[in-house]
Amino acid sequence: MTTKELLIEKAFSFYSEPCVKDFSLNELAAKVGISKPAIYRHFKNKDDVMVEMQKHFFDVIAEHLLSIRRYKEENGTIKGIIANVYSEIPFANMVRFFADNPKYINYLIFQFTRHQRFERVIFEELEKRGCLGEEEIQNFKKAECGQSDKNYADSFYCGISILIFVKLREKIISETRNGKDGKGIDSTDVFAKKISAFIKGGFAGACEEGDPLYPTAISARRKSELERICQISKEDFPEENKIFTALASVIEKHDFNGVTIERIADELGMAKSSLYFYFDNKNEMILSLIEKELAMLTQLCVENAAESRNFSEFIYLTMRTEMEFFHTKPSLLQICGWLLQTSSEEHSNLDADMHTTWEKKIPKALERPDIGLPLSPNLFRDWIGVIPVALFLVGTKKRMAKDYMLDYLEQIFGFIQFGIKNDKDKN
């Protein structure tokens, strides 16, 4: 391995933990065991390193996708433990790959939080490498135009669910490794099979009728009632904190790593010493501001979910409330991405008891679906909580109308209930 290749490999090692931070050239040099000036023999600057990392990332992903295609063409199917589900669910054949290589999925998340159009970068890079079929290309182009295409909803749901479950699996492994209360989980092969089957069949495929988790049909009339419960008006909230607004603006202009007390003070038109009067450092300020916003969202979700009559309504009310909240306070999304780039210890105080009435009723029921890792109330809440955030982020980048986003959310709710192939609206 050349020194340049070693530098790229070590650069990716910064993404090996569940929560990552950006790295400096000094840190990279220390990892490799060379001086910082020696890096400049191979790269012009940090941006040049990132360009090469991106190229390496897509080369690896492309080779994996193309090897699957070649194997299918030669053998007619994919054999082995994940045979049936991998050929049926979009992107599900990537589960095992990302579970075996968490650094790549962490890198992917990091790039999504940094770049407004990284989804298009993925499309262009994979298309350039000949990895996409004609149907995938057309689906992406329709989605780019903001069209409510069900195939895109399928792909989005599969992709985000795989990402979330792989990350949660990684977190449990990390907790176990650090002596915390992490539980044992299945091997990557078995995990890939079970998660793919769960995405395919939803709760209907994972539970027996009569189980508290088994989907309950929601009539059109009742759904209208639930939608009214979730409606939010800006007048329902206090005026947004000026520092919060300034922080969101700085993130939008300079990215997460460009956030400084000086820039926030400039945005506010005040001296940075004034901000230091209230906060000791940048992280303390961000935590303080976002905690209040998330507390409002949590309270709304808990209050609205209390109106649910069954677990299906609980899921619907929670996801719909979250989507309505972000439509009312879009600046919060700029700051939520910051949490992905910090250690869990820095924001552990945000992990308050948020269990709702339904979560308290069914903790044992949540253990019954076999997905290759424990489906605890916390894990379940993370899963259904991230989906609306990710959907709103993608929809905002595409300038998607609110009605389209809600249509996608409606489809995704059906996938959670009945799975990709068994969704009642898709026959």
Side-chain angles (χ1 to χ4, degrees):
M1 180 180 294
T2 66
T3 302
K4 184 174 183 178
E5 291 170 337
L6 181 60
L7 282 164
I8 294 297
E9 180 182 294
K10 292 299 183 181
F12 272 106
S13 72
F14 287 100
Y15 299 87
S16 295
E17 294 301 319
C19 295
V20 299
K21 292 182 180 179
D22 200 8
F23 62 91
S24 68
L25 290 184
N26 281 326
E27 290 171 320
L28 178 57
K31 278 235 179 189
V32 179
I34 61 176
S35 65
K36 180 180 176 181
I39 293 179
Y40 295 113
R41 298 172 190 165
H42 309 280
F43 301 102
K44 296 177 183 178
N45 48 39
K46 171 71 177 298
D47 288 341
D48 198 22
V49 174
M50 299 304 291
V51 168
E52 288 298 316
M53 287 180 71
Q54 180 172 298
K55 180 179 181 298
H56 174 80
F57 172 78
F58 285 114
D59 284 346
V60 171
I61 297 298
E63 178 55 35
H64 182 71
L65 292 173
L66 291 171
S67 67
I68 291 173
R69 179 180 295 178
R70 287 194 297 268
Y71 191 86
K72 290 176 70 174
E73 290 172 352
E74 293 170 3
N75 298 275
T77 184
I78 302 176
K79 298 180 180 179
I81 196 166
I82 51 176
N84 294 329
V85 291
Y86 266 29
S87 60
E88 294 181 43
I89 303 177
F91 308 138
N93 52 29
M94 300 299 288
V95 177
R96 181 170 55 175
F97 172 80
F98 280 120
D100 283 333
N101 299 279
K103 62 186 179 183
Y104 289 130
I105 202 164
N106 290 334
Y107 171 81
L108 186 62
I109 294 170
F110 190 75
Q111 297 308 314
F112 263 115
T113 64
R114 288 173 60 105
H115 301 296
Q116 289 291 317
R117 305 292 289 175
F118 196 68
E119 189 178 33
R120 167 157 281 282
V121 172
I122 294 174
F123 171 77
E124 291 174 347
E125 293 293 334
L126 293 182
E127 184 183 33
K128 183 168 61 179
R129 289 166 172 80
C131 300
L132 304 179
E134 185 59 33
E135 183 179 354
E136 293 166 313
I137 293 172
Q138 292 305 315
N139 285 342
F140 180 85
K141 290 180 178 179
K142 288 180 181 179
E144 280 281 282
C145 298
Q147 296 181 28
S148 182
D149 184 271
K150 189 174 286 289
N151 288 328
Y152 179 75
D154 287 8
S155 300
F156 173 84
Y157 173 68
C158 288
I160 197 65
S161 293
I162 289 169
L163 182 152
I164 294 167
F165 283 124
V166 169
K167 285 289 295 178
L168 291 171
R169 178 180 184 272
E170 182 193 358
K171 182 179 179 181
I172 294 172
I173 291 174
S174 177
E175 290 175 345
T176 303
R177 199 164 50 229
N178 294 326
K180 296 184 180 180
D181 296 328
K183 297 180 180 179
I185 56 179
D186 289 330
S187 66
T188 52
D189 278 347
V190 177
F191 169 72
K193 176 184 177 183
K194 290 178 177 179
I195 283 295
S196 298
F198 181 63
I199 293 172
K200 177 185 176 183
F203 278 111
C207 307
E208 300 290 335
E209 289 194 46
D211 189 289
L213 305 184
Y214 193 83
T216 302
I218 305 176
S219 68
R221 180 177 178 180
R222 176 57 178 165
K223 192 164 285 188
S224 295
E225 293 175 0
L226 299 180
E227 290 169 1
R228 284 195 294 272
I229 291 171
C230 296
Q231 287 178 356
I232 299 173
S233 171
K234 288 185 178 180
E235 286 70 33
D236 296 334
F237 300 112
E239 186 176 349
E240 188 170 87
N241 185 294
K242 292 181 179 179
I243 302 178
F244 184 93
T245 306
L247 172 61
S249 178
V250 170
I251 291 173
E252 187 174 6
K253 292 177 182 177
H254 302 285
D255 193 15
F256 296 103
N257 296 307
V259 173
T260 63
I261 292 290
E262 289 82 358
R263 282 175 170 163
I264 295 171
D266 288 343
E267 193 74 26
L268 289 165
M270 60 191 298
K272 67 176 182 179
S273 57
S274 301
L275 287 178
Y276 281 121
F277 179 79
Y278 298 102
F279 309 103
D280 289 336
N281 54 56
K282 176 182 71 177
N283 286 359
E284 180 187 329
M285 179 180 64
I286 296 175
L287 284 171
S288 175
L289 294 172
I290 198 172
E291 186 173 16
K292 294 176 183 177
E293 298 295 327
L294 293 181
M296 281 194 288
L297 173 58
T298 299
Q299 186 62 31
L300 279 170
C301 288
V302 170
E303 290 176 358
N304 290 349
E307 302 291 330
S308 58
R309 298 173 182 172
N310 51 60
F311 193 61
S312 294
E313 289 190 3
F314 163 69
I315 296 173
Y316 188 84
L317 281 166
T318 301
M319 296 178 71
R320 182 72 183 239
T321 298
E322 192 171 340
M323 180 65 83
E324 293 286 348
F325 181 84
F326 284 116
H327 270 289
T328 306
K329 299 178 74 67
S331 58
L332 180 60
L333 283 174
Q334 294 287 346
I335 300 174
C336 280
W338 174 83
L339 295 175
L340 296 174
Q341 300 186 34
T342 58
S343 68
S344 57
E345 286 77 13
E346 285 178 312
H347 51 80
S348 59
N349 60 316
L350 299 182
D351 299 329
D353 181 12
M354 294 164 51
H355 296 302
T356 65
T357 302
W358 277 97
E359 286 175 309
K360 290 177 180 177
K361 284 183 179 180
I362 57 166
K364 292 297 180 184
L366 275 172
E367 295 176 5
R368 286 197 281 274
D370 188 1
I371 62 172
L373 73 166
L375 186 56
S376 65
N378 285 343
L379 187 149
F380 170 77
R381 187 173 59 247
D382 287 344
W383 175 42
I384 66 167
V386 170
I387 288 174
V389 176
L391 179 58
F392 190 80
L393 276 169
V394 171
T396 300
K397 290 176 183 179
K398 296 179 181 298
R399 299 182 180 178
M400 193 182 295
K402 180 180 179 181
D403 287 346
Y404 277 137
M405 289 194 210
L406 292 176
D407 182 49
Y408 279 131
L409 191 70
E410 190 79 21
Q411 294 176 52
I412 289 169
F413 171 70
F415 299 153
I416 293 172
Q417 297 282 82
F418 301 101
I420 295 295
K421 298 300 182 182
N422 299 319
D423 176 38
K424 289 187 175 182
D425 294 328
K426 184 173 181 172
N427 296 314

